[in-house]
Amino acid sequence: MRVISYNLRKHRAATELVNLVREHDPDILCLQECDTQALPDAIEGLSLVRATSGNRLGLAMYLRRNQFRVEQVRTIGLKKSLHDRVLKPAHERVLGALLTNIDTGRRVIVASFHAAPLTALNSLRRNQIRAALDALQGLAPGKPVLMVGDYNYPVFKENLGQTVREHGYTLTLSDDRTYTRYRVFKGHYDFATSVGFDISQITTLPQATSDHRPILITAEAA
């Protein structure tokens, strides 16, 4: 399974999606900071599963309908930061789907995730990540889970990794930094947490319009 995750920087990078899918041929596309009202129903053979509806800028997921059957879809609100309460940018920070592989019959859970912004504490983001993973397991307890997206967690990843491991999951970074626009905040912002998946590689793709670089996750349900 090939999954691309991309923060579109307030939808500015949406014009890149056709070429991105053509070049890298993902099975699933997970988006953050997209204008959910302006999304097409399909992108180069990938069909829109769902986009969040609580805010103009939100999350979306596309997939290949000839490879996966969508069983359930859930949007999840998480504990809010001060930024969220004051400016109300987003209260749906997870978009997850229970999928069945049409060829193998295997059921897996895949999600697009966008953590609270850098104005929030790392402790809040860790809380959001744990809550998101717990909520996703509720779609189908015991099934493999892959949550990709913008974790907004540039430093002290040792603490995050420990938290994720204690929760029974694996944190996997890409092969290069995913955010390079500002010197102070550069680093790995976009990555994956998973259980029940063998992740062979996460490749950081070239930067274009967005302040984030897309990542390509190659994974197989264990």
Side-chain angles (χ1 to χ4, degrees), residues 60-73:
M61 182 185 298
Y62 289 79
L63 56 67
R64 296 199 182 280
R65 295 280 183 178
N66 61 357
Q67 184 170 350
F68 295 103
R69 183 170 62 251
V70 180
E71 306 290 351
Q72 293 185 58
V73 183

Side-chain angles (χ1 to χ4, degrees), residues 2-117:
R2 291 162 61 83
V3 182
I4 285 180
S5 174
Y6 195 14
N7 181 316
L8 299 184
R9 194 188 182 192
K10 300 180 180 178
H11 205 70
R12 296 178 189 177
T15 56
E16 304 166 22
L17 294 176
V18 169
N19 287 336
L20 191 68
V21 172
R22 280 179 183 169
E23 182 173 356
H24 299 287
D25 194 30
D27 306 302
I28 300 173
L29 176 65
C30 293
L31 303 176
Q32 305 89 42
E33 285 195 28
C34 52
D35 183 343
T36 57
Q37 301 300 312
L39 290 171
D41 292 332
I43 301 174
E44 290 296 303
L46 300 182
S47 299
L48 179 65
V49 176
R50 185 177 295 179
T52 53
S53 58
N55 296 81
R56 185 181 68 85
L57 290 174
L59 308 170
M61 182 185 298
Y62 289 79
L63 56 67
R64 296 199 182 280
R65 295 280 183 178
N66 61 357
Q67 184 170 350
F68 295 103
R69 183 170 62 251
V70 180
E71 306 290 351
Q72 293 185 58
V73 183
R74 181 180 297 175
T75 59
I76 302 165
L78 302 174
K79 186 176 180 180
K80 292 183 171 75
S81 67
L82 177 62
H83 180 87
D84 290 330
R85 291 196 295 269
V86 173
L87 299 178
K88 299 181 181 178
H91 46 263
E92 298 166 308
R93 292 198 170 273
V94 188
L95 173 63
L98 173 63
L99 310 174
T100 297
N101 186 301
I102 293 172
D103 292 332
T104 67
R106 292 290 304 273
R107 302 171 85 203
V108 298
I109 299 164
V110 179
S112 179
F113 171 70
H114 192 187

